[in-house]
Amino acid sequence: MSNERYYSILYQYKQTRKGIGLKQSDYTIATLASHSSLQILKGAKDEGFKTIAICKRDSEHVYKTFNVADEIIVVDDFSELTTLDKQLKDQNAVLIPHGSFVTYLQMDKLMDLKTNYFGNRNILNWEVDRGQQRKWLSKASVIQPKIFKTPDDIEGPVIVKFFGAAGGKGYFLTHSREDFDRKIAQHHGKEYILQEYVVGTPVYAHFFHSPLTGELEIMGFDKRYESNVDSVGRVAAKEQVELEIETSYTIVGNMGLVVRESLLPEIYAMGERVVEASKTLDGVGLFGPFCLETVITPDLKMYVFEISARIVAGTNPYINGSPYTDLRYNEPMSTGRRIAREIKQAIEQNETEKIFK
Ligand code: AMP
């Protein structure tokens, strides 16, 4: 082979690896069939992509009925995603991460995947480590609930949270060392944090930050429906005491919400500061969808108690768009569809290296 030909083939190979010269029809959007996958796959189809759902054996038949996956790959466990890596890469799939990626996959395995991945996976490390998350939010100058270092420091209402995104399962409230010792006994060995319990209304703010345009969009808001905390009000206070009912925070579903309009500037500014601060974490920072989980007090102070650095299930009520996306787009724009639109634009502009990290 002549040198010229050799370098021409090498150049072509490198361009293809960077995604340059590939068309939208060369890509397939793939995700784990859970959490917000129906929205992601539907959004991808609406934007003209082929789709793959990686589905647990026992839920395959349900996912089929929604008709949003062109192909279903059946697994016994989501951790098998790592063994599918080569197949997905050969199909030029783009993985869209969501809450189940954080819950069911080990971080180091996620980092090693060779398949295209929408988002900056470094940032997920910051999401799963509560200490790092706190540093990030501090850099962004958002108000956060206090953290108590040891059970002896407990003062006022405290929420005890376990590590890992398990949907609030097992969280409990406490107010003293004695009460804490009694309640923690059934959770032996689990890592936890002690966080000030802020009395107010929980509001989850959904954002999308485009690395292509540099713009930040408010996608919507939700409130969560958690068991049993959202139902203890159905039992009279006297009975709550007599029955020794203890609150827990297991997520069951999500409900749409609009916030009073005067809160929007501060919420947007918080989102901007969080994106800016993220750039100092690894030089690239956060992009795509994310969520600030807040509690708003009666004097309208917004405490951010957590950040999700990827799509949240709270966007699921808006498969047809939210009141906020309705303002900006003249078509139904879910967060899942917004992700697909960003990928589509990056492909058209030969800029996929900006969105696959
Ligand atoms: P999370 O799993 O972090 O989203 O938390 C589960 C639920 O616990 C939230 O929806 C809130 O209702 C509640 N929660 C979490 N942290 C706090 C806090 N610091 N103060 C008040 N409520 C909280």
Side-chain angles (χ1 to χ4, degrees), residues 77-355:
D77 194 281
F78 283 143
S79 61
E80 285 173 45
L81 178 64
T82 48
T83 59
L84 293 173
D85 193 27
K86 181 163 181 335
Q87 177 186 339
L88 291 171
K89 186 171 169 24
D90 289 346
Q91 286 179 277
N92 207 26
V94 181
L95 280 172
I96 313 295
H98 52 59
S100 298
F101 282 62
V102 184
T103 309
Y104 298 108
L105 298 175
Q106 286 166 355
M107 250 329 121
D108 53 335
K109 298 263 163 55
L110 204 62
M111 294 294 152
D112 286 344
L113 291 177
K114 300 283 183 289
T115 307
N116 295 317
Y117 176 100
F118 177 78
N120 179 0
R121 55 189 116 179
N122 281 335
I123 292 291
L124 279 189
N125 276 319
W126 291 74
E127 171 180 331
V128 294
D129 182 330
R130 288 189 190 274
Q132 299 287 64
Q133 201 181 104
R134 203 168 167 83
K135 277 193 213 155
W136 173 9
L137 292 173
S138 303
K139 276 190 184 173
S141 308
V142 297
I143 310 169
Q144 297 180 72
K146 252 189 271 166
I147 294 290
F148 298 93
K149 284 212 175 85
T150 73
D152 286 326
D153 302 333
I154 291 175
E155 210 183 78
V158 163
I159 183 163
V160 182
K161 297 180 169 187
F162 297 101
F163 282 35
K169 200 166 170 215
Y171 290 6
F172 62 85
L173 283 187
T174 187
H175 56 274
S176 68
R177 169 90 220 204
E178 301 71 56
D179 183 65
F180 171 80
D181 285 343
R182 189 174 59 77
K183 290 176 177 168
I184 198 72
Q186 53 189 295
H187 301 280
H188 26 256
K190 280 201 214 158
E191 275 194 290
Y192 61 81
I193 56 158
L194 304 169
Q195 194 177 71
E196 171 192 7
Y197 183 83
V198 182
V199 182
T201 48
V203 171
Y204 292 71
H206 320 144
F207 297 90
F208 188 95
H209 172 58
S210 164
L212 300 179
T213 65
E215 215 181 338
L216 181 70
E217 294 163 43
I218 289 178
M219 301 300 289
F221 298 90
D222 77 291
K223 61 178 272 191
R224 309 222 156 150
Y225 198 43
E226 292 161 339
S227 186
N228 60 8
V229 69
D230 287 317
S231 291
V232 285
R234 291 159 60 97
V235 180
K238 183 171 161 286
E239 284 159 328
Q240 288 177 24
V241 175
E242 281 167 5
L243 298 170
E244 295 183 34
I245 291 176
E246 283 172 4
T247 46
S248 60
Y249 297 82
T250 305
I251 182 92
V252 175
N254 304 77
M255 290 170 274
L257 183 75
V258 287
V259 297
R260 55 191 278 189
E261 204 164 306
S262 58
L263 291 175
L264 291 177
E266 173 54 12
I267 290 171
Y268 190 81
M270 281 198 311
E272 284 186 309
R273 293 201 302 272
V274 165
V275 170
E276 261 327 290
S278 74
K279 293 180 186 158
T280 64
L281 306 181
D282 73 337
V284 175
L286 172 69
F287 63 84
F290 68 99
C291 173
L292 294 182
E293 318 196 343
T294 75
V295 176
I296 306 183
T297 61
D299 54 357
L300 299 181
K301 231 166 127 180
M302 274 179 254
Y303 286 78
V304 178
F305 62 85
E306 208 163 315
I307 177 168
S308 295
R310 30 89 195 162
I311 188 171
V312 287
T315 58
N316 286 337
Y318 304 122
I319 289 188
N320 241 342
S322 77
Y324 299 92
T325 60
D326 202 25
L327 298 169
R328 185 181 162 111
Y329 297 95
N330 285 322
E331 58 196 326
M333 185 56 67
S334 68
T335 295
R337 185 169 183 182
R338 182 66 190 81
I339 293 171
R341 170 106 10 133
E342 192 77 0
I343 298 171
K344 189 170 160 177
Q345 278 168 358
I347 295 168
E348 282 165 6
Q349 295 166 209
N350 277 334
E351 291 190 309
T352 52
E353 83 285 354
K354 285 194 178 166
I355 59 162

